Amino acid sequence: MEKNYPLYLLSTWKIGGPAETVYWPETVEDLSSVWHRAQEEGIPVRLIGKGSNVLFPDGGLPGITLVTTALRGICWGDYTVKVEAGYTLARLAQEAGERGWSGLGFARGIPGSVGGAVMMNAGAHGGEMASSILRVKTLWADGSIKQLERTDFDLGYRYCSLRGQAWILEVELKFQPGDRNQILQTMKENLSKRKANQPLQEPNAGSVFRNPPGDSAGRLIEAAGWKGKSIGGAKVSEKHANFIVNTGEAKSEDVLALIQTIISDVQDKYGITLQTEVESILTGNRGIKEDR
Ligand SMILES: Cc1cc2nc3c(=O)[nH]c(=O)nc-3n(C[C@H](O)[C@H](O)[C@H](O)COP(=O)(O)OP(=O)(O)OC[C@H]3O[C@@H](n4cnc5c(N)ncnc54)[C@H](O)[C@@H]3O)c2cc1C
């Protein structure tokens, strides 16, 4: 457990003030008991994974910030795997690929945790988490732990119906037999494409906006003339207009101002209201009902 821990260390954007308390539970029971104690004492609590899709506030966060990255248990089955929420998605994709198991190849370049990937229904290169999930173990606001089959909840484009309702503790995924060399080769090619098209050398949180139906957010932002433009230390990437990079000293408020300005400009120019994909964690409970 750490007190006054700098949130920027927990975010790929490298932005965020001090968190009052940060805790890395090592077991599901540990996580659940911290949740219960926080509820009893009325302390705000939120949960993140690898922080690759979040924007933390400059003023920091009160209460407890739980980080799942020490929940790394894994158990391989017969073309299935049961894995705890904090396991690195890209590592899992690589390990499955090396077994010649197909299904997660799309995820090799996505820098999140397995739990975060379910919550975001992460996807790329035509694949998404939804196709591989068999069941999930979840913690609910009333403290109950429930095993849900894939058909018990909805997943859509960067959408999971469990958001704001439950935390993902463990995930069971399925694979299909595949050609090991081909899977590894495709993952390698996808990684090269990312290196060529994404600003991976600068702190960022992936795509900031969702693609509107039938269009691409990056295309609209570039067409509106935002590529390379900055507010404070937040800059629209020269490489990919749907990425906002931290040029070194970016504040959360710079990123939010840039996001808002882009939304109004694209709205004025094209009549399309961009929606953010990135999660802005401003305060209070996130992950399990806001009002608790
Ligand atoms: C360079 C780069 C490239 C990226 N490319 C892609 C891409 O191609 N496709 C894509 O979909 N995304 C992409 N992303 C975004 C990001 O990696 C994914 O959204 C990822 O799934 C987030 O996982 P995380 O563990 O980092 O979640 P976090 O950022 O830690 O959290 C994201 C949200 O999920 C919630 N959450 C996290 N873990 C849990 C849990 N166990 N239970 C309940 N809620 C939870 C958090 O509260 C928060 O609301 C990219 C990001 C970067 C930096």
Side-chain angles (χ1 to χ4, degrees):
M1 179 167 308
E2 296 272 352
K3 295 277 178 192
N4 281 320
Y5 190 83
L7 283 164
Y8 70 82
L9 294 178
L10 299 176
S11 147
T12 55
W13 238 330
K14 300 285 168 242
I15 293 173
E20 189 178 348
T21 305
V22 176
Y23 186 59
W24 292 260
E26 289 183 10
T27 62
V28 161
E29 294 71 32
D30 192 12
L31 184 152
S32 163
S33 84
V34 173
W35 160 253
H36 280 283
R37 258 182 289 139
Q39 293 309 290
E40 277 159 25
E41 292 168 28
I43 299 171
V45 58
R46 67 203 67 77
L47 175 136
I48 61 156
K50 291 179 81 74
S52 62
N53 206 36
V54 290
L55 180 63
F56 290 124
D58 301 318
L61 284 170
I64 303 173
T65 301
L66 291 170
V67 187
T68 62
T69 50
L71 291 173
R72 287 190 298 248
I74 183 161
C75 181
W76 294 92
D78 184 18
Y79 289 104
T80 61
V81 68
K82 200 187 271 188
V83 61
E84 286 183 338
Y87 205 86
T88 302
L89 179 68
R91 181 175 166 189
L92 186 67
Q94 181 70 25
E95 289 171 348
E98 275 164 14
R99 286 165 183 252
W101 293 9
S102 126
L104 266 197
F106 73 89
R108 179 61 184 84
I110 303 180
S113 65
V114 171
V118 172
M119 212 29 104
M120 300 304 303
N121 188 21
H125 315 293
E128 58 176 8
M129 289 305 289
S131 318
S132 302
I133 298 169
L134 280 175
R135 53 190 68 86
V136 293
K137 193 198 259 186
T138 50
L139 173 67
W140 289 73
D142 63 4
S144 59
I145 290 185
K146 291 182 199 158
Q147 182 101 326
L148 302 180
E149 297 298 315
R150 168 65 190 87
T151 45
D152 294 335
F153 60 101
D154 292 329
L155 291 164
Y157 172 53
R158 304 297 170 268
Y159 167 78
C160 173
S161 58
L162 300 174
R163 172 166 292 265
Q165 306 289 322
W167 287 341
I168 310 285
L169 304 175
E170 194 181 86
V171 183
E172 209 173 326
L173 301 170
K174 62 176 177 186
F175 300 87
Q176 298 80 43
D179 177 332
R180 180 179 180 275
N181 289 341
Q182 198 189 322
I183 297 167
L184 295 178
Q185 181 58 28
T186 305
M187 289 198 296
K188 209 168 143 191
E189 284 166 15
N190 287 342
L191 279 180
S192 304
K193 276 187 215 150
R194 280 176 185 265
K195 273 187 198 139
N197 300 328
Q198 299 182 356
L200 303 183
Q201 305 306 322
E202 297 160 284
N204 70 79
S207 294
V208 172
F209 298 97
R210 292 151 179 270
N211 289 323
D215 210 333
S216 127
R219 188 198 73 75
L220 287 163
I221 297 164
E222 184 170 352
W226 282 94
K227 228 178 190 181
K229 300 262 172 67
S230 315
I231 293 186
K235 179 178 163 190
V236 177
S237 165
E238 308 269 6
K239 246 184 176 176
H240 192 316
N242 199 13
F243 279 57
I244 291 180
V245 296
N246 175 358
T247 59
E249 300 289 323
K251 300 269 174 241
S252 191
E253 62 182 38
D254 297 338
V255 175
L256 290 172
L258 191 51
I259 287 174
Q260 280 313 327
T261 318
I262 290 171
I263 290 174
S264 1
D265 194 44
V266 168
Q267 170 73 53
D268 288 349
K269 288 184 173 133
Y270 307 109
I272 293 172
T273 311
L274 291 176
Q275 311 278 345
T276 50
E277 175 174 327
V278 155
E279 274 281 298
S280 175
I281 296 194
L282 295 175
T283 185
N285 290 348
R286 287 306 288 213
I288 293 186
K289 273 189 182 308
E290 293 271 279
D291 55 355
R292 283 183 63 96

